[in-house]
Amino acid sequence: ERLRIEAGTPRWGREIDDRVLPAEAGLEKTHISFDKGCYPGQEPVARLHYRGHPNRALRVLRLDEVPDYDAELVHDGKVVGRVTSAVRAGDGSVVALAYVRVEVPDDAPLALAARAG
């Protein structure tokens, strides 16, 4: 699991579900053909590819603690993403995969949102 997360590889049920567009998960390069025939869901995928850009992208992060699934990430007081997978490495660090808004710089400090309750 740690190697999968460090490689940035999405997994069905974690990084890939009905809330995620293939381009957000980085699947356009490896799993989508724009030259083959029709398939279910082709219109929104093609529209995003030819006319737009994803608003968020899958990123590998280092965190201080292992968060819950779907824990919110905050930057400058604003929710900018959510954690989809996280695991503690042998050295005690935490590596995670998260969807983060594309306008947030890669080196921006991200924090876990305070838990409700």
Side-chain angles (χ1 to χ4, degrees):
E1 183 72 351
R2 179 184 55 80
L3 294 175
R4 177 188 75 80
I5 292 171
E6 287 176 342
T9 304
R11 186 178 92 189
W12 181 257
R14 297 299 287 199
E15 289 73 38
I16 303 172
D17 60 24
D18 60 354
R19 300 176 291 176
V20 176
L21 296 170
E24 294 173 328
L27 299 177
E28 263 191 343
K29 300 172 198 124
T30 58
H31 290 76
I32 296 175
S33 171
F34 293 97
D35 300 324
K36 293 184 180 174
C38 297
Y39 55 88
Q42 178 182 13
E43 267 189 52
V45 170
R47 190 178 316 120
L48 181 64
H49 177 76
Y50 291 110
R51 295 189 177 173
H53 61 84
N55 292 325
R56 57 194 178 142
L58 192 61
R59 292 190 193 176
V60 177
L61 304 175
R62 296 285 177 179
L63 301 172
D64 295 330
E65 60 184 272
V66 177
D68 293 332
Y69 174 72
D70 261 355
E72 293 179 332
L73 291 167
V74 177
H75 174 64
D76 286 341
K78 180 180 174 187
V79 174
V80 295
R82 66 183 178 92
V83 177
T84 54
S85 293
V87 66
R88 188 169 301 281
D91 65 0
S93 66
V94 174
V95 63
L97 279 175
Y99 284 103
V100 180
R101 295 205 47 90
V102 296
E103 65 268 15
V104 177
D106 288 340
D107 60 352
L110 300 173
L112 294 170
R115 294 181 189 172

